RNA sequence: UGCCGAAUGGUGUAAUUGGUAGCACGCCAGAUUCUGAUUCUGGAAGUCGGGGUUCAAGUCCCUGUUCGGCAACCA
């Protein structure tokens, strides 16, 4: 009794279902063409990753399916080639390939101009002399219809002439626009004679000074989809009201290919913000150190933090696809990451907050090497040697003079196991003037070499350690959620959302002691510091002899959770 | 007091289109463990409200409520 394939396949989301239906019905000759259409005016974040994985993923599920990479670069005042490169990098890093299909809406400016002429000749577009303010006044409100522009009834010839002269640069910026001739009384504000072209005497990052009029999004986007023979044009919910306009342009221009726009809910994540504007505010306000700050949900930030492309793709698959507003818990993202890293990351020992341990009965000046397993989840990762000697570093939190119940770690008179090494028993402590324990004296049991005792006695705790004379020093940056509130935008009465910033979102630890195997770490390396979490070498600030690690994610810490619960 | 859209455990997302409310994360408990990790077992927790149709409603109808989007020469 085997499961049928159907039972193993997750159900299709509403978009995939619809595409499957279209293909089954022979629509578009069974072709599937999608596109990812960013504007090159900022950095990609994980919300974009959702759209990227949807568009590229969906296309990849069909024989011959393709996903185009297209830049919606119709507003030269806010766009820049710099962003094009970073966006391309990010999409590639996520693991997607657009092949030959890299396009720019600006590639279509000539064609789009011709399309505009078609509309004018049909009487479906007119040149309007209203300025910004006047146009707004004519537009009406959501509850009241707008009024026709006084120029709406210009002749086709006059419109053709004026539009050509707009293109020739005869008119001032803002003095004239080309508008669609639709309906100023429409319930849908978007249909109230929207602007198609505006005058902008600005160089474009690709077309230079060729144009001084630029097409608007609504006109450009759908027709670009049509030019590229896109079959399914997937976008986020806020474009829903614009679908009638998307369809209107395509129908009125009379192009043969009419892609289907389908909207889905964009991604929100707990403990962070996603809007471009707010991200920019954090970067410019200095609350973070740049677009690639590891606390940001930007793709470059996640990459620097140590997130893997696969974990982000898995996340995008698991969150599903629907039309309702949603806020995903970061915990789901983190879970996928840990799940992957648990399988792939090699284990190392690193002491973040060092406390000196001296093994009184271990000979001075001697050392030995012990075997340590690189990855218990993957035997092929093999073993390594870890040096042991009389003076060690352990974690400050692994010793307590006056331990609470169920504390399995080191305390006076207690015995614990040093991971892969020996059982040690604490016999004494040395304190500084302030009464802080600065040195812990222990004895070790030579019979327990490797971590097992021949007499079968058990120890409850196993702690990590690093030999003091062999330790490699490093800076470790411990990251936590950028905001303290699940929904940072939910600020108190009159409050600023930035008041929800987590003051402890970054803790920089210097003088951390790492096992020597980590000495040659370079950018791109990652590992698990046992009992701490997953870390990666910071690609920007780390250098040989000046190692910097970022904490990608902590391990689940049941003990800390219990402690916290008992404390509060 | 407009138009459009959406409401299923804490968070997401399914339910053969009218027929056993499933899955994942999170949470709780236990077992295992040389990582208080991992793994394993079990548990708590849900159809926005009110009517109606029907043998049968998360699903269909009516009605209410709540939430989101829309008045850039932005995308």
């Amino acid at each position: 009794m085997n499961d049928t394939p159907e039972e193993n396949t997750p159900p299709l989301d509403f978009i995939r279902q619809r595409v499957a239906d279209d293909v089954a019905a022979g629509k578009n000759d069974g072709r599937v063409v999608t596109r990812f259409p960013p504007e090159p005016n900022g950095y990609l974040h994980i919300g974009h990753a959702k759209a990227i994985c949807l568009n590229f993923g969906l296309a990849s599920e069909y024989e011959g399916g393709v996903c185009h990479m297209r830049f919606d670069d119709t507003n030269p005042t806010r766009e820049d080639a710099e962003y094009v490169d970073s966006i391309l990098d990010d999409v590639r890093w996520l693991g997607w390939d657009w092949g030959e299909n890299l396009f720019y809406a600006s590639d279509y400016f000539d064609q789009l101009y011709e399309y505009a002429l078609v509309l004018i000749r049909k009487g479906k577009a007119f040149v309007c002399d209203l300025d910004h303010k006047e146009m707004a006044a004519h537009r009406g409100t959501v509850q009241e219809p707008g009024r026709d522009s006084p120029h709406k009834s210009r002749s086709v010839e006059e419109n053709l002439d004026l539009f050509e002269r707009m293109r020739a640069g005869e008119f001032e910026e803002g003095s004239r626009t080309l508008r669609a001739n639709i309906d100023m009384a429409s319930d849908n504000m978007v249909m109230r004679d929207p602007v198609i072209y505006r005058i902008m005497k600005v160089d474009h990052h690709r077309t230079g000074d060729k144009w001084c009029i630029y097409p608007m999004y609504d006109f450009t986007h759908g027709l670009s989809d049509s030019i590229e023979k896109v079959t399914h044009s997937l976008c986020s919910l806020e474009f829903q009201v614009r679908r009638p306009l998307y369809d209107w342009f395509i129908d009125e221009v009379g192009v043969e290919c009419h892609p289907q726009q389908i909207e889905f809910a964009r991604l929100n994540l707990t403990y962070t913000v996603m809007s471009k504007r707010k991200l920019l505010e954090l970067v410019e306000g200095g609350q973070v150190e740049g677009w690639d700050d590891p606390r940001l949900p930007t793709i470059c930030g996640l990459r620097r933090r140590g997130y893997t492309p696969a974990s982000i793709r898995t996340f995008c698959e698991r969150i599903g696809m629907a039309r309702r507003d949603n806020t995903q818990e970061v915990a789901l993202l983190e879970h996928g990451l840990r799940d992957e890293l648990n399988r792939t990351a090699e284990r190392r020992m690193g002491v973040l907050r060092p406390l000196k341990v001296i093994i009184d009965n271990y000979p001075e000046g001697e050392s030995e090497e012990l075997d340590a397993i690189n990855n218990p989840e993957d035997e092929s990762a093999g073993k390594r040697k870890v040096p042991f000697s009389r003076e060690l570093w352990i974690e400050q939190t692994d010793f307590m003079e006056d331990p609470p119940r169920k504390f399995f770690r080191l305390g006076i008179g207690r015995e614990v196991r040093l991971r892969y090494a020996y059982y040690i028993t604490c016999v004494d402590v040395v304190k500084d003037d302030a009464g802080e324990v600065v040195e812990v004296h222990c004895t070790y049991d030579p019979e327990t070499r490797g971590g097992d005792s021949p007499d079968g006695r058990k120890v409850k705790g196993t702690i990590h350690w690093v030999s003091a004379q062999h330790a490699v020093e490093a800076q470790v940056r411990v990251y936590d959620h950028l905001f303290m509130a699940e929904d940072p935008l939910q600020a108190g009465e009159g409050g600023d959302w930035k008041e929800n910033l987590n003051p402890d979102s970054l803790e920089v630890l210097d003088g951390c002691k790492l096992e020597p195997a980590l000495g040659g770490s370079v950018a791109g390396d990652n590992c698990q510091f046992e009992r701490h979490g997953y870390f990666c070498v910071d690609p920007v600030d780390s250098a040989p002899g000046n190692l910097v690690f970022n904490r990608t994610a902590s391990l689940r810490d049941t003990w800390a959770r219990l402690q916290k619960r008992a404390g509060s």
Side-chain angles (χ1 to χ4, degrees), chain A residues 171-191:
Chain A
F171 308 122
E172 289 302 297
E173 248 180 53
S175 64
R176 284 190 161 89
T177 56
L178 182 72
R179 290 229 259 162
N181 183 354
I182 308 180
D183 178 11
M184 289 304 291
S186 174
D187 284 330
N188 186 347
M189 298 289 296
V190 167
M191 300 298 275

Side-chain angles (χ1 to χ4, degrees), chain A residues 451-555:
Chain A
D452 290 300
S453 70
D455 64 8
R457 75 180 188 277
K458 300 288 182 200
V459 286
K460 192 75 177 140
T462 300
I463 65 175
H464 61 279
W465 54 276
V466 171
S467 166
Q469 81 177 90
H470 302 91
V472 170
E473 294 233 348
Q475 179 183 94
V476 174
R477 299 172 181 173
V478 177
Y479 293 103
D480 196 359
H481 298 149
L482 223 205
F483 291 88
M484 297 178 293
E486 272 203 14
D487 178 5
L489 269 24
Q490 201 71 255
E493 203 54 38
D496 182 358
W497 57 276
K498 288 200 287 301
E499 286 170 10
N500 287 321
L501 278 162
N502 177 8
D504 303 319
S505 61
L506 168 60
E507 188 178 2
V508 179
L509 301 173
D510 284 300
C512 301
K513 313 291 185 182
L514 311 181
E515 66 165 273
L518 255 6
S521 300
V522 295
D525 289 355
N526 70 355
C527 67
Q528 180 195 103
F529 290 175
E530 296 217 24
R531 304 210 299 135
H532 276 300
Y534 300 97
F535 294 77
C536 69
V537 176
D538 186 86
V540 177
D541 296 327
S542 192
N546 186 25
L547 290 175
V548 178
F549 281 84
N550 294 329
R551 186 175 78 181
T552 310
S554 68
L555 253 26

Side-chain angles (χ1 to χ4, degrees), chain A residues 30-88:
Chain A
R31 288 177 310 115
V32 175
V33 182
T34 57
R35 97 272 92 110
F36 174 61
E39 182 186 18
N41 74 339
Y43 293 86
L44 260 29
H45 54 63
I46 192 161
H48 295 108
K50 177 181 182 180
I52 292 166
C53 292
L54 170 64
N55 280 292
F56 280 94
L58 176 55
S60 74
E61 287 155 25
Y62 287 89
E63 187 76 31
V66 289
C67 178
H68 295 180
M69 183 72 213
R70 182 177 76 234
F71 287 96
D72 259 355
D73 53 352
T74 59
N75 188 346
T77 62
R78 24 184 271 166
E79 294 154 10
D80 198 282
E82 167 204 345
Y83 295 114
V84 169
D85 296 333
S86 83
I87 289 170
L88 257 19

